Each structure stands twice: as structure tokens, then as C-alpha cells.
């Protein structure tokens, strides 16, 4: 900051120079991101609600209504009639809230102090942050031969210190869905909190199932499921940051509540205090703008792009790690080491990401900004590299 005020024009010029250093989704070159460009309508709404602070909902009753409506809508999508929860900054914050609810619930009703959470080794790193912040020990379940959470391994790891079991609906690295129905039963039998991380899959699995795709049940229709994370800022096309945490019961919010003396509400269960209402408003706008049919069409298009890329890769001779379940494909060159292969792709201008679990591989998330024409160009380059 300088002593003297600067001209708007000068500031904007500097900003636009720096903005040029950012990659643009519209180029179709960003292959490894789970985020994408938000829909223009959602951005327009977002800007109108920049001052709405949901940390003090009594002052922003309209925006609070929008948050509640979004939570209800996402809950309905996940087979829950009465949903509780919040629109937060993303999957990370949503997962931390779920783990905090589970920990506090176990502390209050079972007296567990040195708690443990069972997560699959394919879990997102946000659970490491959650465990660290909440003083919990992570116990990692193995994956089975299909790279999904191994049910037997979960059974073996349950102890009298287990405060939560976590399974993933759409893993970050491979887009796979864990055997949630079986794990739900185990959680129920053992009276353990069960959280499903559908940050990635939440805005596609319900729509794909509706369209006839053969995907497993993962939602609140399974009695053992206590909470689900869903990110509107991934396939929901809401602007970042927008994550969703949906709870089956209000008591999971209540066990996290702390007194909030100077605000319009008496207690607060969210992690952050002052928090954006713009995400709730923009998500409300975009889910109603698309409707189930719009999202269904989009989800199917993304899957068609995924199969198109898969077929193209196999035709050339590349090896896919596993059959895609969602719009995410991991593959390798049969002879070139993954990092070296990634460098070659970078030289052609592709921004790739490398999966590590279970094996190193190039990972492409087929998000909305990757069009068929980009995939054609990618396959041309891959032919040359091969
Ligand atoms: C993206 C993702 C997260 C983290 O979400 P952020 O919005 O980046 O915080 C957590 N879990 C899964 C499965 C994800 O795909």
C-alpha cells in the first residue's frame, strides 16, 4: 500500500496484467481440476449478495432462507425429506464439520475422548486436516482389488474409540464409489457415525442414476448414513467457494453449537464466523435455473466425453487404470514413467495432474470446460507422444 491513493485505472491495469498469468478454463487445457468456470448467471447473482453475512443470519433473513432452501434441495436430491446443514466454502470445510459433529456426538453420548476415524486410503486429504484439528487418530482402511474401500478391512479396524467411518462417493483420484450400502450396515450395527464424502459425485450420481446409469446407492436412503458432503462448486457450476454439508438430524448441528453472544442468533455450529451468503444465493439460482433435467443432461454429456477419451486413448495404446464410474479418467503410457509422460504433455500446453493412489497415473477430470474439440486436440497430441 502506498501513502497516496492510486487511480482506479492504474490499479485495474496492473490487475489485468496479473490476471493474464492465470490459466483460463475456457482454453480447455486444464485437465486435472475438479472446479470449472461457474455459470454466468450464477456469477451475476453472486455479485448481488457480496455483503450478505450468514454469520449473523438475523440481519440477512432473505439470504438465510436461500441457504436453508439450498440445503433442503440438496437433501431431497439425496433422499432426505428434512435436511439440516450449511453451505460452506467447499468439501474441505464440509468434511471438517462432519468429523467435528461425529467427534462431539461420540464424546457426549459415548464418552470417547481419544477418538479414531476410519477412512479409506483413497480419501481426500481434507480428512488429515480434520483429524489434526480435532485431535483424532486416522485409521486407514485398505482398498480392494477394484480400488474401493475394503469392507472386511473396515470391520477389522472398528474399535471402542471409533467416532466415525468415512466412505467416498466419487474419489478425488479415480472418481470411484465405495461400497456405501455395505458400510452403512456395518456402521448401523456398530452404532457408529457414518459420513459419505460426495464432494465430487454429489452433483452427478443422482442425475446419472435417474438417466439409467447403473450406479450404487450412496445417499440417505441408507439408514446408516449420517451426513453427506456435496460441492456445488464442482459439477454444480456454482462459483467458488461453495460446498455443502447435509446432516440427517439436527442434533449433529447441536452438538457443535457454541454460544455467539453479540449476534442475532444465540448459537453457531459452523466453523467460520462471518461467512458468505453469496454462495448460497448463487447456488439457489443455478440449481433452479438448471433443474434436475438440466443437470442430468450435463452429467450425461460429461460421461459421454469420458467414454470418448477412454476409447481414443485405448485405440492409440494407452492403458487406463480402471473403468470410469464418473467423469474422471486415469491413464498411463505403457512404457514411459508417469512424471516424464506428464512433462511431455505439459510441453504441448496441457495442465495435467498426477494421481498417486493406487498407482501413479495421469488423471483427467472431464469438467464442463473441456469440450469435444479439446479432447480431439489432446488425442492428436497423445498420438504424437506415443
Ligand atoms: C474436491 C474434494 C474435496 C475437497 O473439496 P474442496 O472444495 O477443494 O475443499 C473433498 N473430498 C472429495 C472427494 C473431493 O473430490
Amino acid at each position: 500500500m502506498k501513502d497516496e491513493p492510486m487511480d482506479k485505472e492504474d490499479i485495474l491495469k496492473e490487475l489485468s496484467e496479473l490476471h493474464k498469468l492465470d490459466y483460463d478454463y475456457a482454453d480447455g487445457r486444464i485437465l486435472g481440476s475438479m472446479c470449472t468456470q461457474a455459470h454466468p448467471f450464477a456469477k451475476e447473482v453472486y455479485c448481488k449478495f457480496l455483503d450478505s453475512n450468514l454469520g449473523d443470519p438475523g440481519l440477512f433473513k432473505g439470504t438465510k432462507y436461500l441457504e436453508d432452501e439450498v440445503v433442503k434441495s440438496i437433501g431431497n436430491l439425496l433422499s432426505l425429506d428434512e435436511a439440516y446443514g450449511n453451505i460452506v466454502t467447499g468439501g474441505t470445510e464440509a468434511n471438517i464439520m462432519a468429523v467435528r459433529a461425529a467427534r462431539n456426538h461420540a464424546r457426549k453420548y459415548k464418552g470417547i475422548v481419544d477418538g479414531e476415524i476410519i477412512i479409506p486410503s483413497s480419501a481426500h486429504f481434507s480428512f488429515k486436516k480434520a483429524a489434526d484439528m480435532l485431535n483424532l487418530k486416522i485409521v486407514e482402511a485398505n482398498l480392494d482389488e477394484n480400488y474401493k474401500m475394503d469392507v472386511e478391512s473396515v470391520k477389522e479396524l472398528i474399535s471402542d474409540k471409533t467416532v466415525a467411518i468415512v466412505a467416498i462417493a466419487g474419489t478425488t483420484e479415480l472418481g470411484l464409489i465405495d461400497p456405501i450400502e455395505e458400510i452403512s450396515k456395518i456402521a448401523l450395527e456398530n452404532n457408529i457415525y457414518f459420513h459419505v464424502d460426495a464432494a465430487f459425485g454429489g452433483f452427478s450420481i443422482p442425475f446419472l442414476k435417474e438417466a439409467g446409469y447403473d450406479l450404487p446407492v450412496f445417499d440417505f436412503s441408507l439408514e446408516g448414513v449420517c451426513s453427506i458432503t456435496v460441492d456445488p462448486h464442482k459439477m454444480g457450476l456454482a462459483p467458488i467457494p461453495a460446498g455443502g454439508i447435509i446432516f440427517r438430524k439436527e442434533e449433529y448441528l447441536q452438538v457443535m453449537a457454541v454460544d455467539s453472544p453479540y449476534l442475532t442468533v444465540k448459537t453457531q455450529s459452523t466453523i467460520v464466523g462471518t461467512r458468505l451468503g453469496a454462495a448460497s444465493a448463487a447456488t439457489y439460482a443455478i440449481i433452479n435455473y438448471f433443474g434436475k433435467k438440466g443437470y442430468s443432461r450435463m452429467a450425461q454429456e460429461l460421461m459421454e466425453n469420458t467414454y470418448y477419451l477412454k476409447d481414443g486413448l485405448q485405440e492409440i495404446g494407452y492403458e487406463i487404470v480402471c473403468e470410469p464410474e464418473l467423469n474422471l479418467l486415469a491413464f498411463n503410457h505403457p512404457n514411459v514413467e508417469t512424471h516424464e509422460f506428464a512433462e511431455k504433455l505439459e510441453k504441448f500446453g496441457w495442465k495435467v495432474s498426477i494421481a498417486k493412489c493406487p498407482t501413479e497415473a495421469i488423471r483427467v477430470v472431464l469438467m464442463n470446460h473441456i469440450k469435444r474439440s479439446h479432447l480431439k486436440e489432446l488425442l492428436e497430441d497423445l498420438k504424437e507422444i506415443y
Side-chain angles (χ1 to χ4, degrees), residues 61-267:
K61 293 202 173 94
T63 310
K64 181 58 193 161
Y65 172 82
L66 292 173
E67 181 184 40
D68 292 343
E69 284 298 304
V70 172
V71 167
K72 217 190 282 177
S73 289
I74 298 179
N76 286 348
L77 194 63
L78 303 174
S79 314
L80 189 61
D81 289 338
E82 239 183 295
Y84 304 90
N86 291 101
I87 298 306
V88 294
T89 54
T92 299
E93 193 185 341
N95 286 338
I96 295 171
M97 272 184 77
V99 176
R100 182 167 171 240
R103 183 201 62 170
N104 291 10
H105 200 265
R107 190 166 61 195
K108 182 168 176 191
Y109 294 103
K110 298 183 192 167
I112 300 176
V113 277
D114 303 314
E116 300 175 350
I117 52 171
I118 301 174
I119 66 172
S121 56
S122 54
H124 185 264
F125 56 83
S126 49
F127 291 101
K128 292 196 175 137
K129 297 182 187 174
D132 184 44
M133 293 163 77
L134 297 163
N135 231 345
L136 296 167
K137 186 175 152 206
I138 284 186
V139 185
E140 245 178 41
N142 297 328
L143 302 185
D144 63 17
E145 69 279 8
N146 299 315
Y147 312 131
K148 298 181 180 200
M149 194 173 197
D150 183 67
V151 178
E152 288 309 311
S153 173
V154 174
K155 280 188 195 161
E156 282 162 23
L157 293 173
I158 290 176
S159 78
D160 51 14
K161 292 190 167 181
T162 310
V163 300
I165 300 172
V166 173
I168 321 293
T171 55
T172 310
E173 301 209 290
L174 296 176
L176 298 177
I177 305 164
D178 285 329
I180 290 166
E181 188 166 4
E182 286 165 89
I183 299 167
S184 167
K185 277 195 199 120
I186 296 169
L188 210 56
E189 277 164 20
N190 290 277
N191 186 27
I192 294 170
Y193 188 103
F194 181 32
H195 174 65
V196 175
D197 181 1
F200 180 64
F203 259 92
S204 72
I205 303 168
F207 304 115
L208 290 174
K209 278 173 79 79
E210 192 69 30
Y213 279 70
D214 183 21
L215 294 171
V217 194
F218 77 106
D219 66 12
F220 288 106
S221 58
L222 302 169
E223 221 184 314
V225 174
C226 301
S227 54
I228 304 183
T229 287
V230 177
D231 271 358
H233 70 200
K234 291 177 178 168
M235 274 86 83
L237 297 194
I240 57 169
I245 177 66
I246 313 294
F247 291 105
R248 181 188 289 278
K249 296 183 199 158
E250 197 173 14
E251 71 180 82
Y252 296 131
L253 282 170
Q254 285 161 351
V255 292
M256 292 193 279
V258 298
D259 293 340
S260 50
Y262 65 89
L263 302 179
T264 50
V265 283
K266 290 198 174 61
T267 64

Side-chain angles (χ1 to χ4, degrees), residues 263-278:
L263 302 179
T264 50
V265 283
K266 290 198 174 61
T267 64
Q268 213 174 65
S269 299
T270 48
I271 295 165
V272 292
T274 298
R275 60 189 186 90
L276 64 174

Side-chain angles (χ1 to χ4, degrees), residues 367-383:
M367 295 302 289
N368 305 63
H369 59 271
I370 303 175
K371 307 293 178 207
R372 205 46 87 85
S373 58
H374 302 126
L375 292 176
K376 285 186 178 146
E377 286 168 34
L378 174 64
L379 287 168
E380 282 306 313
D381 290 349
L382 282 165
K383 248 181 226 161

